[in-house]
Amino acid sequence: MVKAKYQSVLDLGEQLNIQDGDVQVNGDKLEIRGTAATPHHKNLLWDEIKKVGGENPSDLMADIKVADDSIYAKHTVESGESLSLIAKHYYGDPMKYKQIFEANTDQLKNPDLIHPGQELTIPNL
């Protein structure tokens, strides 16, 4: 029953390719363990957990580690995106595009010129 309740969390874990995943039912509690690629992926999982179980779910124990916490995320540019749209998506603030630009000067020379398919580093702020 508790596993079915959190099925959307488990599905998201598969979608995000969580490594070393382990899911067990222990009595009436679901125990989830695994390693997310970045802090952003870990945050996405926790957001889904809170959406399903509330701010502090009593029927779930989750131990989610992060493989690489030197960056916040990796982002593949899609058609129609700009650095400000990407900054708004990750940080909630389009003006933080400058920090994304600075973290990617190895491939970006102008913050107004990004191309679909480029993989950008989204820095920890």
Side-chain angles (χ1 to χ4, degrees):
M1 184 82 166
V2 71
K3 191 173 180 181
K5 176 181 175 182
Y6 289 99
Q7 189 60 49
S8 64
V9 175
L10 302 177
D11 292 345
L12 180 59
E14 280 189 32
Q15 185 182 0
L16 296 174
N17 198 23
I18 299 300
Q19 299 298 304
D20 306 319
D22 182 42
V23 177
Q24 295 185 16
V25 177
N26 189 356
D28 60 350
K29 189 175 257 191
L30 185 65
E31 297 178 356
I32 301 172
R33 292 176 180 79
T35 303
T38 64
H40 177 63
H41 283 179
K42 179 179 179 177
N43 289 348
L44 289 174
L45 275 175
W46 276 108
D47 288 347
E48 186 63 23
I49 288 169
K50 291 175 190 175
K51 183 173 138 187
V52 173
E55 196 63 35
N56 195 8
S58 60
D59 58 352
L60 177 103
M61 186 289 302
D63 180 13
I64 311 297
K65 295 177 179 20
V66 175
D68 182 1
D69 60 3
S70 68
I71 62 169
Y72 183 65
K74 286 286 192 179
H75 179 86
T76 302
V77 176
E78 294 182 16
S79 181
E81 286 187 319
S82 65
L83 288 183
S84 60
L85 281 175
I86 295 168
K88 183 172 169 95
H89 171 76
Y90 288 100
Y91 305 127
D93 181 355
M95 293 310 293
K96 295 199 179 201
Y97 77 89
K98 297 170 192 165
Q99 288 89 334
I100 296 173
F101 175 71
E102 290 300 322
N104 292 280
T105 55
D106 59 325
Q107 61 179 320
L108 300 178
K109 304 304 173 213
N110 180 333
D112 295 325
L113 293 176
I114 62 173
H115 304 285
Q118 286 179 309
E119 184 154 4
L120 303 178
T121 297
I122 308 301
N124 286 315
L125 298 183

